Amino acid sequence: MNLLPTTFCEPFPPLVQRINAEAVVINDRILKIDHLLNHRIDTDLMQAIGAELANRLAPFQPDLILTAEASGIPPALSTAFACRIPLVYAKKYHPDVPMPALTRLISSPTKGGEVLLAITARFIPAKARVAIVDDFLANGRTALALAEMAQEAGASVVAAAFVVEKVFQQGREPLLALGIPVIALAQIERFADGRPVISGWSSS
């Protein structure tokens, strides 16, 4: 069973307040907060996000943080600093480039088409306790690929933590099917009238 305390996915006020005040919603589908999260980085907010994710991950006792380049690196690095454990990130390559590593081919809505995620196997020690950290959980393809590669290396994925989860895209389902608990600091239930509706939070 993957029943987490509600605190593991409760809204993180410093983040949710910024989303409510500053987010841009495009076509009731895309949430743009790249001016603070993954293009221009608000370092104070990112430090707070890392500390909060580290706190929520603490019960799972990870000894390695795993993410994918590029937008996953800021929250993952901040979390790794707070946990005082190493960070490994999967690199993205064109699928025609052969890689002597752990690889998965995934579709990339942001890049268009497909990309190859690759991790040098020796950086994921067998029996490591891995926590996946990323900026967004949407369809779950990237997180699932990371989990599969970590397991292929002989590690165990103890949890997956995200800054923002778009709940309506059901990306947590394949992770839960693997027995991986999911943590989120802001869960977007849906978009309404061009604004995000955040689970457990009143914007009034």
Side-chain angles (χ1 to χ4, degrees):
M1 295 292 289
N2 269 301
L3 299 177
L4 293 183
T6 55
T7 53
F8 282 21
C9 286
E10 73 179 12
F12 181 50
L15 171 66
V16 173
Q17 289 164 358
R18 295 288 298 274
I19 291 173
N20 272 328
E22 303 171 29
V24 175
V25 174
I26 300 174
N27 297 328
D28 276 346
R29 188 174 63 88
I30 298 172
L31 179 76
K32 286 189 69 66
I33 50 173
D34 55 354
H35 68 289
L36 58 88
L37 184 62
N38 54 24
H39 191 36
R40 173 188 178 272
I41 311 297
D42 183 318
T43 53
D44 286 340
L45 178 61
M46 192 60 68
Q47 186 174 22
I49 284 170
E52 182 63 20
L53 287 176
N55 181 59
R56 297 190 192 191
L57 284 169
F60 301 100
Q61 299 180 308
D63 49 38
L64 180 73
I65 299 295
L66 180 63
T67 193
E69 69 171 2
S71 60
I73 293 175
L77 181 59
S78 182
T79 304
F81 271 123
C83 291
R84 301 182 66 84
I85 58 177
L87 163 69
V88 174
Y89 68 88
K91 296 184 178 183
K92 293 180 180 178
Y93 294 90
H94 189 277
D96 292 337
V97 178
M99 287 291 112
L102 303 165
T103 60
R104 286 296 186 280
L105 192 65
I106 62 166
S107 61
S108 175
T110 54
K111 289 182 178 293
E114 296 183 317
V115 296
L116 190 71
L117 282 183
I119 304 171
T120 301
R122 71 178 185 274
F123 294 151
I124 308 290
K127 300 183 180 179
R129 296 177 60 82
V130 173
I132 294 168
V133 174
D134 210 346
D135 59 340
F136 275 88
L137 174 60
N139 57 37
R141 293 190 188 102
T142 299
L144 181 61
L146 292 172
E148 290 174 346
M149 286 189 285
Q151 292 173 340
E152 185 179 329
S156 60
V157 181
V158 296
F162 303 90
V163 180
V164 177
E165 177 185 4
K166 293 163 75 175
V167 177
F168 56 90
Q169 292 192 243
Q170 300 181 328
R172 67 169 44 220
E173 300 308 321
L175 296 172
L176 294 177
L178 290 178
I180 300 171
V182 176
I183 295 167
L185 301 188
Q187 293 180 298
I188 309 299
E189 294 181 356
R190 64 187 186 281
F191 298 121
D193 300 322
R195 301 303 306 159
V197 178
I198 300 173
S199 179
W201 188 267
S202 173
S203 58
S204 58

